Amino acid sequence: MTLAVEWTNVLQVDEIFDLTKQSYQGHGWSKAVFAADLSQPTAWYFGGRIDGKLIAYVSASLVLDELSITNVAVAPDWQQQGIGRSLMMRCLDQFKQPLRILLEVRTSNQKAQKLYHYLGFETYYIRENYYQKPVEAAQLMDLKINGWGE
């Protein structure tokens, strides 16, 4: 099968919500939060589909020279196959202006941290008790691209 990647901010709320529930084990944003986010002019969604079905997405919010990655989700059957890495790389390639890219990740999520380090992200702060269900610290990470801060 071929992964057809589609750059769009008009993905359907239901498919994003369903994929988020699968990949985040029932946690994550509500449909209302996704609907509100999708309506923002600063929101960017980058989805990966196979045979028309959404199997992965990256969402972000772009404000001035900062891009905040808000969600990275890959369907469980498609994890550990390079799809998250491919989507993140393609997402980042869309931006040509100098940017600081920000994200947070659970301290226990070693797989995601490995991906983010591979892409060049660095931890700049640990925020205690950031996540709920279960309560856990977050690693705040950033990546500077295209000459940001020079």
Side-chain angles (χ1 to χ4, degrees):
M1 292 188 181
T2 302
L3 176 66
V5 178
E6 158 186 323
W7 176 246
T8 181
N9 63 352
V10 293
L11 293 174
Q12 299 299 312
V13 171
D14 288 339
E15 67 182 353
I16 295 167
F17 178 72
D18 291 345
L19 179 54
T20 303
K21 280 195 319 189
Q22 290 173 35
S23 60
Y24 290 3
Q25 291 83 42
H27 301 291
W29 291 359
S30 68
K31 281 186 185 180
V33 171
F34 277 116
D37 191 50
L38 283 164
S39 72
Q40 298 301 312
T42 57
W44 291 92
Y45 280 72
F46 192 65
R49 296 182 182 276
I50 292 183
D51 295 334
K53 181 178 168 101
L54 185 69
I55 61 154
Y57 76 90
V58 174
S59 63
S61 177
L62 177 63
V63 178
L64 301 175
D65 64 347
E66 289 189 349
L67 181 73
S68 295
I69 304 294
T70 53
N71 288 287
V72 177
V74 178
D77 291 346
W78 294 96
Q79 292 177 3
Q80 300 301 301
Q81 297 183 43
I83 291 170
R85 180 180 64 239
S86 175
L87 282 173
M88 285 290 292
M89 291 171 67
R90 290 177 187 218
C91 177
L92 299 180
D93 284 347
Q94 300 299 312
F95 301 97
K96 304 305 179 204
Q97 71 270 34
L99 286 177
R100 180 179 184 212
I101 303 162
L102 305 164
L103 59 80
E104 66 270 340
V105 60
R106 286 182 179 271
T107 54
S108 65
N109 192 341
Q110 298 295 311
K111 291 177 183 175
Q113 290 173 38
K114 183 178 177 182
L115 167 63
Y116 302 142
H117 285 295
Y118 172 85
L119 295 170
F121 283 86
E122 296 179 358
T123 300
Y124 67 89
Y125 189 72
I126 303 293
R127 182 167 287 152
E128 297 298 327
N129 303 316
Y130 180 79
Y131 290 103
Q132 303 301 312
K133 299 180 186 177
V135 174
E136 187 174 351
Q139 280 191 3
L140 305 185
M141 304 180 84
D142 71 349
L143 171 67
K144 298 162 182 110
I145 64 169
N146 304 326
W148 186 90
E150 293 179 355

